[in-house]
Amino acid sequence: MASLAAPHRIAVIGDVGGHAWTLRRCLQEIGADTTTGTIPDDLVIIQVGDLVHKGPDSAGVVALVDRMLSGSPGQWVQLIGNHEAQEGLGGPDFWQESLSSGLRSDLRRWADSDQARLAVALDTVEYGPVLVTHAV
């Protein structure tokens, strides 16, 4: 993760569950450009996993996150949730919906390139060291 000069903001976004329009709107409200994938210089976004399944547009969510990862490297931190883990990342099968091989390939690429991980450690001014994960 890139070092940011103070002051800076950290946004933590929880389960998206295949709802691309909700994620897009949330990002726009905090100043991110979802077309170019750029994030304001003073902002780091941590998405804590469960991007896929449940909703109508897992493909749209993965495409949007891929754009954000490419457009703002070091400012988008992607964590792996149990729904991503099921899709070829070593987690148990528990959800009936399965992603296309292309989407599974994107998730694998993120994990293999360390763009998606299980946890991130932050050193915050207000709380000191903080570990952020999807779940334990």
Side-chain angles (χ1 to χ4, degrees), residues 80-95 104 108 118:
I80 297 168
N82 52 307
H83 284 266
E84 289 79 38
Q86 172 182 312
E87 295 295 337
L89 300 179
D93 286 343
F94 65 92
W95 192 255
R104 290 172 65 109
R108 169 54 58 199
L118 293 175

Side-chain angles (χ1 to χ4, degrees), residues 63-119:
L64 176 55
V65 170
D66 203 43
R67 188 165 44 255
M68 302 308 293
L69 285 165
S70 297
S72 296
Q75 286 180 267
W76 183 282
V77 178
Q78 183 61 55
L79 301 185
I80 297 168
N82 52 307
H83 284 266
E84 289 79 38
Q86 172 182 312
E87 295 295 337
L89 300 179
D93 286 343
F94 65 92
W95 192 255
Q96 68 278 7
E97 179 185 352
S98 188
L99 300 179
S100 71
S101 60
L103 293 180
R104 290 172 65 109
S105 177
D106 288 337
L107 297 176
R108 169 54 58 199
R109 176 174 43 84
W110 296 349
D112 289 346
S113 66
D114 203 32
Q115 288 181 295
R117 49 195 139 178
L118 293 175

Side-chain angles (χ1 to χ4, degrees), residues 28-52:
Q28 291 167 347
E29 286 188 18
I30 58 176
D33 184 330
T34 58
T35 302
T36 63
T38 54
I39 296 171
D41 291 339
D42 71 331
L43 178 63
V44 170
I45 298 172
I46 302 170
Q47 200 290 320
V48 298
D50 283 4
L51 291 170
V52 298

Side-chain angles (χ1 to χ4, degrees), residues 118-131:
L118 293 175
V120 64
L122 305 172
D123 192 11
T124 67
V125 172
E126 188 169 348
Y127 300 107
V130 175
L131 179 67

